[in-house]
Amino acid sequence: MAFILFYVTPMHRLYRRNSFLGGGSKFVIVLAANQGGGVMEWKGPREWAIERDSVKNKKKYVAKWGYDLEIVDMSTKKRYAHEWRESWEKVDTMRNCMRKYPEAEWFWWLDLNTFIMEPSYSLQRHIFNQLPKNTYRDINEYNPLNISHPLTEAYLDPISRSATGDNNPKSIDLVVPQDCGGFNLGSFFLRRSAWTDRLLDIWWDPVAYEQKHMEWEHKEQDALEHLYLTQPWIRTHTAFIPQRKINSFPTGACGENGEDPRIHYKEQDRDFVVNMAGCEWGRDCWGEMYNFRELSNKLNRTPWEKFKDGIGDRWKAMTQRKKEGEEKQG
């Protein structure tokens, strides 16, 4: 009876949110949604459907684990539109969320075209309880940009010249995956720290933007890569995470060389999150979202749901065989 009461009352959410028990209050998911139709264009029915499914997916996940969800309505961010900086809002938004949730430690940015496939995975168990094991600090482990690492200049301190920084997981403040083209900010983590405040200030610096925005095709993503390349202090607090740990791609994204086991979603491995990155360029965003939503529902059925589906499938098979037999006799 106590077990049942724990799950049918708010007790389990209170337990999972408590910083000393479940630890859910330490995590905030930040989801950008153009609920008013976007700054530059208005959404159609398919775009509304994508947003509805994505938001519902994140709400269900945070309710299960006691996290906070910040849905940022980018249609109100008019200040980005006049200077063509609409896709740079991630930096400013993350900084604002850190002010809004002063007790939270980790902030997880998710693009709208993402879907949490395995809601049974908590962030603590999936990543943060074993952060050193689940991340790597030497970019040479997977280096699609061919960045020279570590730095070797004599004036740098030993930590800055080390391929793995100080090897202390407590110094990891940025966790980012890489796809076939380099850093990918469709799904990444920032930890609250003085280092992060400094990073956000420089990342958002309008001087760098004005000088480089015509060269940086991927906007804030290219800016971060530039900072990592040129600023030694960025490297010492950055860790990389295998892409399929938090940001699997569907077939077709980064697909010039076929499927890549480091990048593309694998159903048999029950990947955590899928990101329909670039689907607006020649692919069907809503079709991908729908298919992954249905697959997630199928993979995460309860034993009772599997039993009912099994009965239904057997009944359909029997009906089909009977119909085929009657057609042959006729």
Side-chain angles (χ1 to χ4, degrees):
M1 178 61 71
F3 180 82
I4 295 174
L5 287 174
F6 179 78
Y7 281 98
V8 300
T9 65
M11 289 177 62
H12 74 284
R13 176 170 171 80
L14 293 174
Y15 173 86
R16 285 177 169 171
R17 277 195 60 79
N18 188 284
S19 58
F20 298 104
L21 298 174
S25 62
K26 295 181 179 180
F27 298 91
V28 178
I29 295 179
V30 184
L31 180 69
N34 295 336
Q35 295 180 342
V39 175
M40 304 305 295
E41 62 180 20
W42 293 95
K43 299 195 299 285
R46 296 169 75 86
E47 286 74 25
W48 284 112
I50 290 169
E51 182 178 279
R52 178 198 64 216
D53 279 3
S54 181
V55 170
K56 182 179 179 181
N57 172 246
K58 311 309 184 295
K59 285 183 175 179
K60 183 177 179 181
Y61 182 70
V62 299
K64 178 178 180 64
W65 293 107
Y67 307 143
D68 285 303
L69 174 63
E70 180 68 10
I71 302 175
V72 184
D73 187 354
M74 292 305 167
S75 66
T76 64
K77 301 275 186 179
K78 297 295 184 181
R79 58 180 166 152
Y80 302 118
H82 78 279
E83 57 184 9
W84 294 92
R85 201 172 184 177
E86 185 178 2
S87 61
W88 283 65
E89 77 279 354
K90 293 180 182 180
V91 182
D92 199 32
T93 297
M94 292 294 266
R95 181 162 49 189
N96 291 336
C97 287
M98 289 184 179
R99 295 192 189 107
K100 185 174 179 179
Y101 298 92
E103 302 302 320
E105 180 181 4
W106 284 99
F107 296 79
W108 182 19
W109 174 279
L110 283 173
D111 279 354
L112 186 63
N113 286 337
T114 57
F115 200 88
I116 297 173
M117 296 294 291
E118 299 296 333
S120 63
Y121 296 1
S122 71
L123 293 176
Q124 297 94 313
R125 185 179 54 140
H126 186 58
I127 300 170
F128 291 99
N129 288 350
Q130 295 183 303
L131 189 59
K133 178 181 177 182
N134 291 320
T135 58
Y136 58 97
R137 302 179 78 164
D138 184 357
I139 196 174
N140 294 308
E141 186 169 324
Y142 179 58
N143 193 357
L145 295 173
N146 293 317
I147 293 174
S148 180
H149 184 78
L151 298 169
T152 58
E153 284 77 359
Y155 62 82
L156 295 173
D157 62 83
I159 292 177
S160 297
R161 294 199 303 269
S162 168
T164 56
D166 62 2
N167 292 304
N168 184 351
K170 292 183 179 180
S171 69
I172 297 175
D173 293 312
L174 170 64
V175 178
V176 61
Q178 296 186 90
D179 60 29
C180 59
F183 295 11
N184 186 285
L185 299 182
S187 171
F188 71 97
F189 291 92
L190 273 175
R191 190 209 299 254
R192 180 192 305 281
S193 69
W195 179 92
T196 299
D197 289 339
R198 182 183 177 193
L199 169 67
L200 293 175
D201 284 343
I202 294 178
W203 197 356
W204 185 249
D205 189 345
V207 174
Y209 166 77
E210 291 294 342
Q211 292 178 346
K212 293 285 190 176
H213 73 280
M214 296 300 291
E215 300 176 29
W216 288 338
E217 179 184 357
H218 297 105
K219 314 288 191 303
E220 78 292 328
Q221 207 159 270
D222 288 340
L224 181 61
E225 290 171 353
H226 177 77
L227 289 172
Y228 184 89
L229 181 66
T230 60
Q231 302 296 320
W233 62 274
I234 298 289
R235 302 191 187 200
T236 57
H237 289 259
T238 299
F240 300 96
I241 188 167
Q243 181 172 354
R244 286 178 52 206
K245 198 77 175 174
I246 62 167
N247 197 41
S248 297
F249 278 1
T251 303
C254 274
E256 293 82 2
N257 299 317
E259 286 199 16
D260 188 328
R262 294 169 299 190
I263 292 174
H264 294 108
Y265 176 83
K266 295 294 183 185
E267 176 183 341
Q268 61 268 32
D269 293 335
R270 303 295 289 267
D271 289 354
F272 180 34
V273 176
V274 65
N275 179 3
M276 280 66 78
C279 62
E280 62 271 20
W281 307 106
R283 305 198 330 262
D284 182 0
C285 293
W286 166 239
E288 291 183 4
M289 178 71 76
Y290 174 82
N291 289 334
F292 279 112
R293 183 195 71 190
E294 293 301 301
L295 177 59
S296 177
N297 290 339
K298 176 184 175 182
L299 294 174
N300 291 280
R301 291 173 297 173
T302 64
W304 173 242
E305 289 171 334
K306 291 179 180 178
F307 173 76
K308 290 192 299 180
D309 289 346
I311 295 295
D313 291 342
R314 284 193 289 272
W315 176 257
K316 289 179 182 178
M318 291 173 57
T319 304
Q320 183 65 25
R321 287 196 297 269
K322 181 178 180 181
K323 182 178 180 181
E324 292 174 352
E326 291 173 349
E327 289 176 351
K328 289 180 180 179
Q329 293 177 0

